[in-house]
């Protein structure tokens, strides 16, 4: 990583970190000005991050997913971008308290884990790969929001059941609002990961002459898709709401993390950064 890219990475991480601290303070103080400052730092971090990724793409001339640090950075960017977009629609300010630490964690991992630059290759310039990466990353980022909404739902539900109306109870949205956010995330995220899987299979068929290779990441990705497909079906056909939907959203994103990190770093396969 050259000096300019490294600088943008450090600045982005610092801006995200300050934004996270601001959101944590907002939980205690709940003053609008504190939220605006925290949101401003997160937005500034996103802009810095976008410039850094644009420079990286210009340098490597391919999608920034050929090393694990690149994928961590891209995922952090997608999470923050998804949150900023959803915040404009739903205005759930406290959601940033749960989302921004995820971005900081992935940015720190991106800087801490070594990775070598893969040489420029036409294999990484396919339209299908671009479609696969963009839809998968944005879809999974939206599911990260659903994951946070699920955690918030369980916390709020527990406080209501135990009648422990403490600090968080007054800060968290209503159960209905959190359930609605979970559902909207599902309706946006599921089509995206569906397109991502299909385009990935098409790309694999064109490059590797086979749509399916029993790759660990392929298997886990399909399992994740099935979990969200069941959740969407049960919400639409059976009327699943509330606690069960929140738990499924948490389980689904947990498997995404296992797929994203475990299958990429530990397990052997086409998507492995350790072996491939």
């Amino acid at each position: 990583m050259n000096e300019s890219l490294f600088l943008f990475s450090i600045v982005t991480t610092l801006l995200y970190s300050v934004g996270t601290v601001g959101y944590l303070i907002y939980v205690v103080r709940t003053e609008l000005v504190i939220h605006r400052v925290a949101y401003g730092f997160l937005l500034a971090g996103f802009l810095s991050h976008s410039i850094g990724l644009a420079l990286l793409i210009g340098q490597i001339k391919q999608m920034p997913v050929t090393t694990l640090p690149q994928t961590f950075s891209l995922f952090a960017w997608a999470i923050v971008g998804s949150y900023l977009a959803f915040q404009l629609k739903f205005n759930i300010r406290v959601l940033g308290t749960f989302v921004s630490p995820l971005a900081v964690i992935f940015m720190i991992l991106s800087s801490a884990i070594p990775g070598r630059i893969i040489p420029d290759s036409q294999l990484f310039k396919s339209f299908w790969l671009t479609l696969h990466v963009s839809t998968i990353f944005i879809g999974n980022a939206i599911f990260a929001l659903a994951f946070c909404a699920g955690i918030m739902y369980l916390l709020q539900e527990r406080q209501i059941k135990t009648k422990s109306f403490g600090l968080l109870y007054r800060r968290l949205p209503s159960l209905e609002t959190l359930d609605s956010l979970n559902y909207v995330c599902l309706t946006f995220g599921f089509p995206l990961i569906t397109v991502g899987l299909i385009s990935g299979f098409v790309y694999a068929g064109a490059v590797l002459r086979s749509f399916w290779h029993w790759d660990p990441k392929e298997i886990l990705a399909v399992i994740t898709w099935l979990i969200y497909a069941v959740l969407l079906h049960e919400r639409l056909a059976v009327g699943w709401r509330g606690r069960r939907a929140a738990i499924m959203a948490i389980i689904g994103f947990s498997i995404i993390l296992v797929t994203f990190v475990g299958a990429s770093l530990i397990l052997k396969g086409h998507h492995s950064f350790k072996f491939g």
Side-chain angles (χ1 to χ4, degrees):
M1 182 184 296
N2 61 36
E3 291 184 3
S4 61
L5 292 176
F6 179 74
L7 177 61
F8 273 107
S9 177
I10 294 299
V11 170
T12 298
T13 304
L14 288 175
L15 289 170
Y16 285 164
S17 299
V18 175
T20 299
V21 172
Y23 274 109
L24 292 174
I25 295 174
Y26 174 74
V27 171
V28 178
R29 300 287 297 274
T30 63
E31 296 178 12
L32 182 58
V33 65
I34 297 176
H35 174 265
R36 287 177 177 172
V37 170
Y39 185 87
F41 272 101
L42 210 61
L43 178 59
F46 180 74
L47 295 176
S48 169
H49 203 166
S50 299
I51 295 172
L53 284 175
L55 291 175
L56 176 61
I57 293 172
Q59 175 183 313
I60 65 177
K61 296 180 173 56
Q62 58 197 26
M63 292 296 291
V65 291
T66 56
T67 68
L68 196 56
Q70 290 176 8
T71 59
F72 281 154
S73 177
L74 186 62
F75 196 34
W77 176 85
I79 289 174
V80 174
S82 298
Y83 165 70
L84 293 174
F86 271 70
Q87 174 62 21
L88 292 175
K89 173 66 176 177
F90 291 95
N91 195 30
I92 302 178
R93 297 169 187 159
V94 73
L95 180 61
T97 308
F98 292 80
V99 173
S100 55
L102 285 176
V104 173
I105 290 171
F106 279 112
M107 286 304 296
I108 291 175
L109 289 174
S110 173
S111 300
I113 295 177
R116 61 185 180 90
I117 298 296
I118 303 299
D120 183 16
S121 171
Q122 291 298 322
L123 293 177
F124 298 111
K125 297 178 181 179
S126 165
F127 162 78
W128 293 108
L129 178 63
T130 302
L131 182 63
H132 169 65
V133 170
S134 58
T135 51
I136 285 290
F137 272 73
I138 295 174
N140 286 344
I142 293 174
F143 286 146
L145 303 187
F147 168 79
C148 294
I151 291 176
M152 292 163 67
Y153 186 97
L154 295 182
L155 289 172
Q156 188 71 306
E157 182 190 51
R158 177 179 175 80
Q159 291 180 108
I160 292 173
K161 285 184 176 180
T162 60
K163 297 182 180 180
S164 176
F165 305 125
L167 179 67
L168 273 180
Y169 174 77
R170 297 190 296 272
R171 307 298 189 256
L172 295 177
S174 67
L175 295 179
E176 182 178 357
T177 299
L178 292 171
D179 187 64
S180 296
L181 175 60
N182 195 321
Y183 177 68
V184 171
C185 289
L186 180 62
T187 57
F188 275 92
F190 184 75
L192 285 170
I193 66 167
T194 301
V195 172
L197 282 178
I198 293 173
S199 55
F201 292 142
V202 173
Y203 174 74
V207 173
L208 302 175
R209 306 300 182 221
S210 176
F211 296 104
W212 183 262
H213 300 85
W214 294 102
D215 184 275
K217 201 165 188 176
E218 291 177 347
I219 296 171
L220 288 170
V222 170
I223 291 174
T224 303
W225 183 90
L226 288 172
I227 288 175
Y228 285 109
V230 168
L231 177 55
L232 182 59
H233 175 269
E234 294 303 298
R235 291 202 70 137
L236 294 176
V238 182
W240 267 20
R241 295 187 62 186
R243 181 180 180 82
R244 281 188 293 185
I247 292 175
M248 287 289 284
I250 293 171
I251 292 173
F253 186 70
S254 298
I255 296 179
I256 286 175
L257 291 179
V258 172
T259 304
F260 190 56
V261 180
S264 298
L265 190 60
I266 301 173
L267 301 176
K268 185 177 182 179
H270 294 295
H271 292 85
S272 173
F273 294 106
K274 181 177 181 181
F275 296 96

